[in-house]
Amino acid sequence: MPIRRRYPQLPRPVEYAHIGWDLLILIAVVLNLGLLLFDSLYLITPINQAIADLTPAFHAFYEREVHSRFFHIDLFFVGFFVADILLGWTVAVAERRYHRWFFYPFVHWYDVLGCIPLSGFRLLRVLRVVSLLHRLHRLRIINVKHWSIYQFFFKYYDILLEELSDRIALRLLGNVQQQILSSDSLTERVIDRVIMPRKTQLISEIVQRLESTVGEAYQLNRASAMTAIDDLVSRTLRESPEIQRLHRLPMGQTAANAMQASISGVAQRLVDELALGIHSPEFRQLIERTAESGFDSWLTVDEKSNRITELVLYDILEMLKEQVNRQRWKDRYE
């Protein structure tokens, strides 16, 4: 039964009234179903004869007072159930339990059909017990999840549902694999209908991710980059013959050190400017043009690349089939 969404917290006396009426309906349903079951067995000749032989007085009483009036007795229960439906409908409208006032008989279709006094529809009254148990469970009066019968049926229901859904998924994936292998232009159609309409958005996303990645990487490794630049300049100057001759001159060492610091500073400033220039409009336009040209080249396919794409998709679906085909319920219940 759907949870009350508009007014989930009802006054305590109203909740107790709901519970009391639900218990009364549950008793009536159990009595009615028990009577229906016993009368159905009573119609079986061997069972009827056995009751007559064992308890002739009860047999005569039941035949005279109950079986001969069974239809009228059942109509009494039907009237009680109809009153329950009308009362429940009125309460649901008052509590605004559903989106529209006329939803109640459609949600409780089993209650409505169960009121029809025919053998086929009478069996639907069993669903009233399930509905009432669910309502009591929702109100935390009982906890059916701790019942052995619930755990038993839920286990095999879960296994059946998983096996059924796995078979359907395997059939669908197999059909997709066949469509991939039988298609002559799958890659071209994917490019034309999926990728090209979103080309601008994809290029913008590539540029944005490149800017973000390069910027974050530079900020995290700036100190290491500056040290590497300084070491490179120092090693280059030490290995330069001109700088070595400069060291022989008076004040040559001082001039070489000043030159090294100046060149290192210029190189570090240049790298900083390049890193900051990544976020400039000019650099973004350059990256967009480069990405666009590379994007078009990447999308150019021939028969070989088309076949490779199809095989990749086929193998991915085969891997999914292996994953789906694994019976995970064995890990839960063994």
Side-chain angles (χ1 to χ4, degrees):
M1 185 174 181
I3 301 175
R4 305 179 186 92
R5 299 184 182 278
R6 186 69 64 86
Y7 298 107
Q9 297 295 334
L10 295 175
R12 190 173 297 273
V14 176
E15 286 287 3
Y16 285 156
H18 277 292
I19 296 172
W21 182 256
D22 290 342
L23 292 176
L24 180 62
I25 295 299
L26 180 61
I27 294 172
V29 170
V30 171
L31 289 176
N32 182 239
L33 293 177
L35 184 61
L36 289 171
L37 177 61
F38 184 82
D39 196 74
S40 299
L41 296 175
Y42 182 83
L43 296 175
I44 301 175
T45 303
I47 296 178
N48 189 308
Q49 188 61 41
I51 296 175
D53 295 339
L54 293 175
T55 57
F58 173 76
H59 182 274
F61 169 78
Y62 186 83
E63 177 68 28
R64 182 180 65 256
E65 301 294 338
V66 180
H67 183 69
S68 60
R69 304 176 181 176
F70 184 81
F71 184 76
H72 297 87
I73 295 174
D74 188 62
L75 284 181
F76 169 77
F77 283 101
V78 168
F80 187 72
F81 295 148
V82 169
D84 169 59
I85 292 174
L86 295 177
L87 180 60
W89 194 351
T90 303
V91 172
V93 172
E95 295 177 357
R96 298 183 182 181
R97 196 179 303 167
Y98 303 110
H99 186 63
R100 290 290 185 269
W101 66 270
F102 53 85
F103 280 13
Y104 185 88
F106 296 99
V107 175
H108 298 263
W109 58 270
Y110 46 86
D111 291 345
V112 177
L113 296 180
C115 292
I116 301 176
L118 297 176
S119 57
F121 293 103
R122 287 169 178 167
L123 296 177
L124 293 175
R125 298 174 189 175
V126 177
L127 297 178
R128 294 181 64 92
V129 178
V130 178
S131 175
L132 293 173
L133 290 177
H134 174 67
R135 191 186 308 177
L136 294 175
H137 174 78
R138 179 175 56 81
L139 294 174
R140 298 181 181 180
I141 304 301
I142 60 176
N143 191 348
V144 298
K145 292 184 178 181
H146 294 164
W147 294 3
S148 300
I149 187 172
Y150 173 86
Q151 295 174 356
F152 174 81
F153 282 105
F154 179 80
K155 172 184 176 180
Y156 291 101
Y157 168 78
D158 188 35
I159 294 174
L160 176 63
L161 192 62
E162 181 176 328
E163 289 292 334
L164 182 61
S165 60
D166 287 350
R167 300 288 80 76
I168 296 174
L170 290 174
R171 183 65 179 272
L172 291 175
L173 292 175
N175 291 337
V176 174
Q177 287 178 315
Q178 294 178 1
Q179 293 293 329
I180 291 175
L181 294 180
S182 62
S183 176
D184 296 330
S185 59
L186 176 63
T187 305
E188 289 84 351
R189 286 188 285 117
V190 170
I191 292 174
D192 294 337
R193 299 175 59 179
V194 178
I195 298 179
M196 292 306 295
R198 299 170 177 83
K199 178 181 176 180
T200 304
Q201 293 89 334
L202 290 174
I203 292 177
S204 177
E205 183 68 18
I206 292 173
V207 174
Q208 182 178 356
R209 287 180 179 270
L210 181 61
E211 290 180 353
S212 176
T213 302
V214 174
E216 291 178 1
Y218 180 72
Q219 291 298 328
L220 293 175
N221 299 281
R222 184 180 182 280
S224 300
M226 296 299 103
T227 302
I229 292 172
D230 189 64
D231 293 341
L232 178 62
V233 172
S234 177
R235 186 173 66 254
T236 302
L237 293 178
R238 283 197 310 268
E239 296 174 354
S240 173
E242 290 78 7
I243 299 301
Q244 292 177 1
R245 286 194 296 270
L246 181 63
H247 287 170
R248 301 189 187 100
L249 299 176
M251 303 296 292
Q253 183 67 38
T254 303
N257 292 338
M259 184 181 299
Q260 176 181 342
S262 177
I263 295 175
S264 178
V266 170
Q268 292 177 357
R269 179 65 181 273
L270 179 62
V271 172
D272 276 336
E273 290 294 334
L274 288 175
L276 294 175
I278 290 176
H279 302 285
S280 65
E282 295 79 7
F283 185 82
R284 184 179 181 88
Q285 293 176 2
L286 175 63
I287 294 297
E288 286 180 351
R289 290 194 297 269
T290 305
E292 185 173 1
S293 61
F295 198 83
D296 293 335
S297 301
W298 178 68
L299 294 180
T300 302
V301 296
D302 52 18
E303 183 177 354
K304 181 179 179 180
S305 60
N306 188 19
R307 184 63 177 173
I308 292 174
T309 303
E310 292 175 356
L311 291 177
V312 169
L313 292 176
Y314 185 91
D315 291 339
I316 291 175
L317 293 175
E318 191 66 27
M319 184 182 64
L320 290 176
K321 287 172 65 176
E322 294 177 0
Q323 184 68 22
V324 171
N325 200 32
R326 180 190 173 197
Q327 295 176 319
R328 291 182 295 274
W329 58 265
K330 291 183 177 180
D331 299 332
R332 297 194 298 270
Y333 298 112
E334 292 185 359

